[in-house]
Amino acid sequence: MDKDRGFRPRALGEIAIRCADMDKMVAFYEDVIGLQRLSGNRTSAITFFRIAEGFGGHTQVLALFQHAPSPGPGSDRSKAVGPAPVTGAGSSLHHIALSLPFAEQEAAMRWYDTIGQPYRIEQFSWIGWRGIFTQDPEGNTVELVAYDQSMLDQA
């Protein structure tokens, strides 16, 4: 049953990931995935990347947060203090998916091949998607997903 709540989310505003090694994670999302780092409120403990325009003036972002927000005096804020965040199969995060045009997926695979970034491809023919899956330096699965009518089941 459709409920009239008086509101309906229109877009995903932000994905936030706690990181053990900010330097490696920032380099991955900037250099491997190609996201644009947002200027402004930069600290070594938080980095924001632009994903897309978003909705209602809120840019869609990926936010990387140093998982230990208050390291001891004189500590390097870009390095984790305490146990690392749980990633991979032990995490509640299954994966993040970033959309791109289907035609750009071939370029993404060539880029991954060029830099030696491991990946796998999955086709979701029931909905017409193809995903290119890889992992960031902390074991989070990152998918580059695209729709193309040619991927649909032809049943």
Side-chain angles (χ1 to χ4, degrees), residues 20-76:
D21 189 326
M22 285 291 287
D23 293 339
K24 286 183 180 177
M25 292 289 279
V26 168
F28 175 83
Y29 285 98
E30 191 167 41
D31 300 335
V32 175
I33 300 298
L35 295 180
Q36 174 190 359
R37 199 185 311 195
L38 293 176
S39 61
N41 188 20
R42 282 192 191 173
T43 71
S44 59
I46 305 170
T47 301
F48 291 94
F49 290 96
R50 180 186 184 283
I51 296 174
E53 285 302 313
F55 178 81
H58 186 287
T59 302
Q60 291 181 355
V61 299
L62 170 67
L64 302 180
F65 285 79
Q66 177 63 45
H67 89 281
S70 300
S75 297
D76 180 352

Side-chain angles (χ1 to χ4, degrees), residues 94-134:
H94 186 271
H95 74 283
I96 64 171
L98 303 171
S99 298
L100 73 166
F102 185 77
E104 291 181 17
Q105 283 191 322
E106 293 298 325
M109 289 183 276
R110 282 192 306 274
W111 173 245
Y112 285 172
D113 289 338
T114 297
I115 64 172
Q117 180 70 31
Y119 64 93
R120 73 180 194 287
I121 301 166
E122 289 188 36
Q123 184 172 321
F124 304 93
S125 55
W126 66 275
I127 198 164
W129 296 346
R130 179 173 67 183
I132 304 168
F133 293 84
T134 192

Side-chain angles (χ1 to χ4, degrees), residues 130-143:
R130 179 173 67 183
I132 304 168
F133 293 84
T134 192
Q135 288 190 332
D136 71 20
E138 297 191 2
N140 299 300
T141 300
V142 180
E143 176 187 11

